[in-house]
Amino acid sequence: MARISPAPQRFERRVPGIDYAVLDGLVGYALRRAQIAIYEDFESALGPLAVTPQRFSALVVIAGNPGITQGTLGRVLGIARSGVVLVVHGLQEQGWVTREAHGQDARTWLLKLTPEGSVLLTAARRRVRAHDARIGRRLSPAERAQLIALLDRLGPDA
Amino acid sequence: MARISPAPQRFERRVPGIDYAVLDGLVGYALRRAQIAIYEDFESALGPLAVTPQRFSALVVIAGNPGITQGTLGRVLGIARSGVVLVVHGLQEQGWVTREAHGQDARTWLLKLTPEGSVLLTAARRRVRAHDARIGRRLSPAERAQLIALLDRLGPDA
DNA sequence: TATTGTTATACTCTATAACTATA
DNA sequence: TATAGTTATAGAGTATAACAATA
């Protein structure tokens, strides 16, 4: 039985026989390791819809805050203004987002979802919820909530 | 008082007035949000040493597993063989890593730290530990341990 | 035939800086 | 002067595919 495509290379959290030394006790490394595994699942679940994690975040934020400007979207996503142009352009190319003129300030654009964008987002949201449930399947609801709460408290700020 | 350099753009976890909708309940988004903030702190702490998270992981793994091959290192880091070439090349350019011939298999290289690499790693390890303590400063030791344990259980596997 | 590493190439994501048009 | 968005450009980081040497 011939193998059609090469075995999908999956990330191994622990390669047998390897000493991870100090890495095993670091919060940052545990986070990185988890995210690599999670990204693979997101990609296989949302890739067919041409939705990346960043695009999903952008769509949700635009949907929940219609008329948001590119500058504010950039702050939410944590990327530079020049990057927002590219993200928004991609969403426009897909027909999911439109930019409308701002009445008072001719410099800014108001971002909104198109009807097609709303339909897409509904499907994507469903898949993302399933994906998120899948990656957290080994956690109880309480553990899942606590994980989110602990993650929210991470950071160098006092 | 003139501002010398532009205010260092920091990631805002929650932009005031923005509805994050479904994002707030997702483990994956909490992870992403935490990692952006953490990466900024890592960068400011280790950037001066020319050490990235990936380089740090590679150095720790090579130090703890002297003679590891590039293929195995790639599996540990979760990247393709072609990417390992670039990482290792960068570490060699810094004078931190050498490749020695394998006695039995002429195809493979054995990776080892140089004395300079060991010195660098000692300094980097100290800074990473401080960084990791800093990002987890709002967590008790028990909470920190639990966070790592919860992260280790994430993933789509049964 | 399969494996290890290399090279060529390309794509994504991100940033900085210079630019425009407005305010 | 300052701000919103755009463009040009560059640098990471990653991947795939074709290749050489070796197993």
Side-chain angles (χ1 to χ4, degrees), chain B residues 57-59 61-62 68-79 84 87-88 91 111:
Chain B
S57 304
L59 288 169
V61 170
I62 294 170
I68 190 176
T69 63
Q70 292 188 187
T72 304
L73 181 59
R75 283 170 60 201
V76 174
L77 298 179
I79 62 176
V84 179
V87 175
V88 171
L91 297 176
L111 302 174

Coordinates of all heavy atoms in Angstrom, one line a residue, chain B residues 57-59 61-62 68-79 84 87-88 91 111:
Chain B
S57 N 16.5 27.6 23.1 CA 16.1 26.2 23.1 C 17.2 25.3 22.5 O 17.6 24.3 23.0 CB 14.8 26.0 22.4 OG 13.8 26.8 22.9
A58 N 17.7 25.8 21.3 CA 18.7 25.0 20.6 C 20.0 24.8 21.5 O 20.5 23.7 21.6 CB 19.0 25.6 19.3
L59 N 20.4 25.9 22.1 CA 21.6 25.8 22.9 C 21.5 24.9 24.1 O 22.3 24.1 24.4 CB 22.0 27.3 23.4 CG 22.6 28.2 22.3 CD1 22.6 29.6 22.8 CD2 23.9 27.7 21.8
V61 N 19.4 22.4 24.4 CA 19.3 21.0 24.0 C 20.6 20.5 23.6 O 21.0 19.3 23.9 CB 18.2 20.9 22.9 CG1 18.3 19.5 22.2 CG2 16.9 21.2 23.4
I62 N 21.4 21.3 22.9 CA 22.8 20.8 22.5 C 23.6 20.6 23.7 O 24.4 19.6 23.8 CB 23.4 21.8 21.5 CG1 22.6 21.9 20.2 CG2 24.9 21.5 21.2 CD1 23.0 23.0 19.2
I68 N 24.3 15.6 19.6 CA 23.0 15.4 19.0 C 23.1 15.8 17.5 O 23.9 16.6 17.1 CB 21.9 16.4 19.6 CG1 20.5 16.1 19.2 CG2 22.3 17.8 19.4 CD1 19.4 16.9 19.9
T69 N 22.3 15.1 16.6 CA 22.4 15.4 15.2 C 21.4 16.5 14.8 O 20.5 16.8 15.6 CB 22.1 14.2 14.3 OG1 20.7 13.8 14.6 CG2 23.0 13.0 14.7
Q70 N 21.6 17.1 13.6 CA 20.7 18.1 13.2 C 19.3 17.6 13.0 O 18.3 18.4 13.3 CB 21.2 18.8 11.9 CG 22.5 19.5 12.0 CD 22.9 20.3 10.8 OE1 24.0 20.8 10.8 NE2 22.1 20.3 9.8
G71 N 19.2 16.4 12.6 CA 17.8 15.9 12.4 C 17.0 15.8 13.7 O 15.9 16.2 13.7
T72 N 17.7 15.3 14.7 CA 17.1 15.2 16.0 C 16.8 16.6 16.6 O 15.7 16.8 17.1 CB 17.9 14.4 17.0 OG1 18.2 13.1 16.4 CG2 17.2 14.2 18.3
L73 N 17.7 17.5 16.4 CA 17.4 18.8 16.9 C 16.2 19.4 16.2 O 15.4 20.1 16.8 CB 18.7 19.7 16.6 CG 18.6 21.2 17.1 CD1 18.3 21.2 18.6 CD2 19.8 21.9 16.7
G74 N 16.1 19.1 14.9 CA 14.9 19.6 14.2 C 13.6 19.1 14.8 O 12.6 19.8 14.9
R75 N 13.6 17.8 15.1 CA 12.4 17.2 15.7 C 12.1 17.9 17.1 O 11.0 18.1 17.4 CB 12.6 15.7 16.0 CG 12.5 14.9 14.7 CD 13.0 13.4 14.9 NE 12.2 12.8 15.9 CZ 12.6 11.7 16.6 NH1 13.8 11.2 16.4 NH2 11.8 11.1 17.5
V76 N 13.1 18.1 17.9 CA 12.9 18.8 19.2 C 12.4 20.2 19.0 O 11.4 20.6 19.7 CB 14.2 18.8 20.0 CG1 14.0 19.6 21.2 CG2 14.8 17.4 20.3
L77 N 12.9 20.9 18.0 CA 12.5 22.3 17.8 C 11.2 22.4 17.0 O 10.5 23.4 17.0 CB 13.5 23.1 17.1 CG 14.9 23.3 17.8 CD1 15.8 24.1 16.9 CD2 14.7 23.9 19.1
G78 N 10.8 21.3 16.4 CA 9.6 21.2 15.6 C 9.7 22.0 14.3 O 8.7 22.6 13.8
I79 N 10.9 22.0 13.7 CA 11.1 22.7 12.4 C 11.7 21.7 11.4 O 12.3 20.7 11.7 CB 12.0 23.9 12.5 CG1 13.4 23.6 13.0 CG2 11.3 24.9 13.4 CD1 14.3 24.7 13.0
V84 N 16.9 23.9 10.3 CA 17.9 23.6 11.2 C 19.3 24.1 10.7 O 20.1 24.6 11.5 CB 18.0 22.1 11.5 CG1 19.1 21.8 12.5 CG2 16.6 21.6 12.0
V87 N 19.6 27.7 11.6 CA 19.7 27.9 13.0 C 21.2 27.6 13.4 O 21.8 28.4 14.1 CB 18.8 27.1 13.8 CG1 19.0 27.2 15.3 CG2 17.3 27.4 13.5
V88 N 21.6 26.4 13.0 CA 22.9 25.9 13.4 C 24.0 26.9 12.8 O 25.0 27.2 13.5 CB 23.2 24.5 13.0 CG1 24.6 24.1 13.2 CG2 22.2 23.6 13.8
L91 N 24.3 29.8 14.9 CA 25.0 29.6 16.2 C 26.5 29.4 16.0 O 27.3 29.7 16.8 CB 24.4 28.3 16.8 CG 23.0 28.4 17.2 CD1 22.5 27.1 17.8 CD2 22.7 29.5 18.3
L111 N 26.6 17.8 17.0 CA 26.6 19.2 17.4 C 27.1 19.3 18.9 O 26.7 18.5 19.7 CB 25.2 19.8 17.3 CG 24.6 19.8 15.9 CD1 23.1 20.2 16.0 CD2 25.4 20.6 15.0

